[in-house]
Amino acid sequence: MLKDYDPLMEYAVGVDIGGTKINAGLVTPQGDVVHTVSLSTMAGFTKTVDRAIQAIQKLMSEVNAMHAGIQFKGIGVGTAGQIDWESGSIRAASELIPGYAGTALKAWLQNQFQLPVIVDNDVNVLALTEKYLGSCIGVEDFICLALGTGVGGAIIVEGRLVHGSWGGAGELGHMSVDFNGPACVCGGRGCLEHYASGTSIARRMQEKLTTHSLPLYNLDSREVITRWRSGEPLATEVMEDTTAALGSAIASFIHIFNPKVIVIGGGVAEAGELLFEGIRREVGRRTMPAMLDKVRIEAAYRGNSCGMIGAALQVWEYGVPSLSSYNKGFI
């Protein structure tokens, strides 16, 4: 049985596309997830759009088997990569999903399912989860940072996501916090991502171990954070640089956007209050007092369904044509 199914309610399909998994779920306007499926992305072995179609078909098949004639209002997608907002295509993507760049994702899904489709960057849809379910309920101006393999961002001004000229706004991980810093893959120098991503934390720890002729381990950021909590000096140096970089960047975000809340999520944010204390301290040192007044720095809404929920919420956030314009159900 579907959890909390209401036959009078319209539902959206939310799809979260990452480098390893594709999660699809049936979601209510209130952000409740009533049924889910998950497939491996199989990046590099099959087209990601084909796997997304398979995930949606599986979801709809299971839903219709339990409740025939269910109303699908539309499909919302949050995906890795840079998204052309108007066309819903993948403008650029990392090597984590080979061959994904150039995929006309919205057109493929809309043609396959004859439902309205909205596609956006994965961090932008996470910001919608924060807006309706997390730390930013009732907040009109806030910034989201996602500290994971890289550093992603989303900007919300007067209650609406800032997409920029084509959809690329919010690449906050590529703000420089050191103009003479190390070269970044983006072409810049000293980018926030170089200091604050999980990948960079692990890499910088390995570099310090090498410099001090200490045994090398296959460390990830969680191990570095564990060592930091225990007071290990080298891990402390790495994480002090991380909090300093984040404090510098966030102070700039506050001066530029005048937000009420800064929300920080992703795997690195799981370091918890020790990380947030350091960030707040650095932000306090670097921000004009009048600008900092009443700004909250908060942990992001937790849960594995966040991206899927935010993806689905796009259907109500932006509005879609009525179902009468499309075939109901799926092909």
Side-chain angles (χ1 to χ4, degrees), residues 222-237:
R222 286 182 174 84
E223 175 66 19
V224 178
I225 289 166
T226 298
R227 292 181 177 211
W228 176 41
R229 285 182 177 137
S230 70
E232 184 184 285
L234 293 182
T236 298
E237 289 177 16

Side-chain angles (χ1 to χ4, degrees), residues 2 5 26 35 56-72 113 115 328-331:
L2 291 177
Y5 170 69
L26 189 69
H35 193 70
I56 297 168
Q57 286 176 330
K58 179 174 171 61
L59 175 76
M60 290 182 167
S61 293
E62 292 180 5
V63 165
N64 275 320
M66 290 179 277
H67 292 282
I70 195 167
Q71 299 288 298
F72 299 109
F113 296 102
L115 285 168
K328 296 178 182 178
F330 70 99
I331 297 173

Side-chain angles (χ1 to χ4, degrees), residues 196-235:
S197 71
T199 305
S200 72
I201 289 169
R203 185 196 67 247
R204 288 185 291 116
M205 184 67 183
Q206 293 279 18
E207 290 170 354
K208 285 186 178 292
L209 290 171
T210 300
T211 299
H212 288 80
S213 300
L214 293 171
L216 293 176
Y217 303 95
N218 188 23
L219 295 175
D220 60 13
S221 60
R222 286 182 174 84
E223 175 66 19
V224 178
I225 289 166
T226 298
R227 292 181 177 211
W228 176 41
R229 285 182 177 137
S230 70
E232 184 184 285
L234 293 182

Side-chain angles (χ1 to χ4, degrees), residues 127-152:
L128 293 183
T129 305
E130 291 300 325
K131 179 178 176 179
Y132 292 106
L133 302 176
S135 301
C136 298
I137 296 172
V139 176
E140 291 285 297
D141 300 276
F142 63 96
I143 303 288
C144 284
L145 275 175
L147 313 179
T149 305
V151 174

